[in-house]
Amino acid sequence: MDKDVSAGRTTSPLEHLGHLALGLTLLAFGLGHTEVIDGVGAAAAVTLATYVGGVALFVAGLLAFRDRDAFTGTAFAALGALWFTWGVSADARVSANAAGLFLLLFALVALTLTAGASGSALTRATYALMFVALLLIAVARFGGSEGLAQVGGWFAAGGGLLAWYGATASLANWPAVLPGRPAGRGVTAAG
């Protein structure tokens, strides 16, 4: 029984794979930006971002398109492109403004995914946290603020944990949503 309780629909194996890949990549990217682990910066996530976040997500997106799942295909293919591009261009010499623009553009993609997510609240929250993280890190690149990049890293790590938990909860049949509030007096099932 792998039901997404909030949406009442079955979660596909591609969604499990995609959310695990996104969760691990976003968590590594975020923790690297927080610099909470000594000697581990954002560049430490490059290999993971290239292959797990980039290739695995992109392939999962293409397979979702094949299964006629437009939202999942769009989300995973776009995010796969983001992580692959970020990973392979990590050693390139670009200006802080160019890096900020790249992150800002993909923050807009994350915002679109947040608005378009009709699945679980965990999925919507993951994309929302990713949007905030990319926006903060983009602004940090434009302004040269390491502190703001660290705050963005915490948002990315939180989004990564949500994506990971959502995939794990679905696979393990754990609760993926909070239980509904009980109806008060005078409230009927119809309204």
Side-chain angles (χ1 to χ4, degrees):
M1 168 181 208
D2 68 14
K3 296 285 185 186
D4 182 358
V5 178
S6 68
R9 65 180 188 91
T10 303
T11 304
S12 76
L14 287 174
E15 289 178 90
H16 299 304
L17 170 65
H19 287 114
L20 280 172
L22 176 61
L24 293 174
T25 305
L26 198 52
L27 183 60
F29 175 80
L31 288 175
H33 276 88
T34 65
E35 298 177 2
V36 71
I37 301 170
D38 189 38
V40 177
V46 167
T47 302
L48 183 75
T50 303
Y51 297 107
V52 176
V55 174
L57 266 175
F58 191 78
V59 169
L62 293 179
L63 292 173
F65 280 132
R66 184 195 67 188
D67 291 346
R68 300 189 191 287
D69 185 348
F71 179 79
T72 302
T74 301
F76 291 166
L79 295 175
L82 158 74
W83 292 120
F84 187 80
T85 304
W86 183 78
V88 298
S89 65
D91 290 334
R93 299 272 183 206
V94 297
S95 69
N97 287 342
L101 179 60
F102 173 81
L103 292 169
L104 179 62
L105 293 173
F106 273 99
L108 294 175
V109 170
L111 180 62
T112 299
L113 296 176
T114 303
S118 61
S120 74
L122 285 174
T123 300
R124 189 173 294 112
T126 296
Y127 294 137
L129 288 172
M130 185 176 183
F131 163 70
V132 172
L134 292 173
L135 181 64
L136 290 174
I137 296 170
V139 171
R141 293 293 173 258
F142 288 133
S145 172
E146 202 56 41
L148 191 57
Q150 288 177 333
V151 172
W154 285 112
F155 276 94
L161 286 173
L162 281 182
W164 168 81
Y165 178 80
T168 303
S170 184
L171 285 168
N173 295 316
W174 295 347
V177 296
L178 296 175
R181 183 177 64 84
R185 284 183 21 185
V187 177
T188 64

